[in-house]
Amino acid sequence: MEAFYTLQGEGAHSGKAAYFIRLGGCDVGCHWCDVKESWEADVHPKQRIEDIVEGALRYPGRLAVITGGEPLMHNLDELTQRLREAGFKTNIETSGAHPLSGHWDWVCFSPKKFKSPHESIYAAANELKVIIYNASDFAFAEEHASRVGSDCVQLLQPEWSRTERMLPHIIEYIKDNPRWQMSLQTHKYMNIP
Ligand code: SF4
């Protein structure tokens, strides 16, 4: 769908320069999704893997973040292998709604209520990032936290439009449950993609 060089704004790698590769296609259907234009894969012309890697190599950063849409709707073995061969660390941001493919240095698993994750994601997740839209999302977060590995970083992130309302609740929740950490969409505060 698009690719761009920016700073990773959220999650465990927040603040790092990264080349984002956004793949078209998502069948999860979050009502608050901020990239709904990604949902229809067919409206985004196919790109050659060589060209994607070449685009990433134009910049000095060597962190590639594969996102979407839901990137695991595609088999990512070849793309991630080529990126690694070119010297990139490979990170993915996924809802886990499809079987895991690809070679990863970091898996950010962000489950959504609207489509259940595939079993393959839990053991692979380095980071569990749960979007908090309303109070019931804390129980949803705990449900998934009980299934990831013990060294998985656990993050709670307010859904952007609900930040003002939910932030105080998330702060108190983390103080009471310190296995969790805060994640904010700092790219939106910085006004960068
Ligand atoms: Fe949007 Fe991501 Fe939800 Fe898909 S999984 S609908 S891309 S927020």
Side-chain angles (χ1 to χ4, degrees):
M1 177 180 164
E2 60 178 348
F4 50 91
Y5 187 55
T6 187
L7 302 191
Q8 168 61 286
E10 61 189 61
H13 292 270
S14 179
K16 295 182 182 176
Y19 192 74
F20 274 72
I21 300 166
R22 187 186 302 286
L23 303 182
C26 186
D27 59 358
V28 178
C30 308
H31 62 86
W32 41 258
C33 178
D34 56 3
V35 279
K36 290 193 167 112
E37 64 276 20
S38 71
W39 289 6
E40 279 301 321
D42 291 346
V43 305
H44 305 290
K46 287 209 165 59
Q47 310 284 330
R48 285 156 38 98
I49 286 176
E50 291 76 11
D51 295 339
I52 296 174
V53 176
E54 209 171 282
L57 282 167
R58 288 196 198 108
Y59 301 93
R62 288 295 174 267
L63 170 60
V65 179
I66 315 296
T67 187
E70 173 40 67
L72 288 177
M73 287 182 73
H74 308 270
N75 184 297
L76 299 174
D77 291 345
E78 191 173 350
L79 174 61
T80 49
Q81 187 181 323
R82 299 283 192 88
L83 283 165
R84 278 185 158 179
E85 285 167 5
F88 286 89
K89 295 281 188 203
T90 55
N91 291 15
I92 186 170
E93 301 193 335
T94 176
S95 70
H98 292 267
L100 185 67
S101 60
H103 309 283
W104 303 107
D105 294 293
W106 192 265
V107 173
C108 171
F109 167 42
S110 186
K112 304 297 186 317
K113 283 179 174 170
F114 314 99
K115 189 170 165 75
S116 295
H118 187 268
E119 288 300 315
S120 56
I121 196 69
Y122 291 97
N126 301 106
E127 170 184 350
L128 171 66
K129 183 176 69 187
V130 180
I131 310 305
I132 302 297
Y133 185 85
N134 58 38
S136 70
D137 291 327
F138 291 113
F140 178 76
E142 294 295 353
E143 181 189 324
H144 293 286
S146 70
R147 301 185 62 189
V148 295
S150 57
D151 56 352
C152 183
V153 177
Q154 297 181 193
L155 300 169
L156 298 174
Q157 178 175 297
E159 194 278 321
W160 178 249
S161 69
R162 304 269 292 180
T163 300
E164 204 174 321
R165 181 184 298 213
M166 295 313 297
L167 199 54
H169 299 288
I170 301 173
I171 291 168
E172 288 310 311
Y173 193 87
I174 293 173
K175 285 160 68 180
D176 290 341
N177 301 275
R179 279 181 59 213
W180 293 96
Q181 301 175 39
M182 181 71 77
S183 173
L184 296 174
Q185 292 187 295
T186 64
H187 52 295
K188 295 188 176 176
Y189 293 100
M190 290 186 279
N191 206 18
I192 58 174

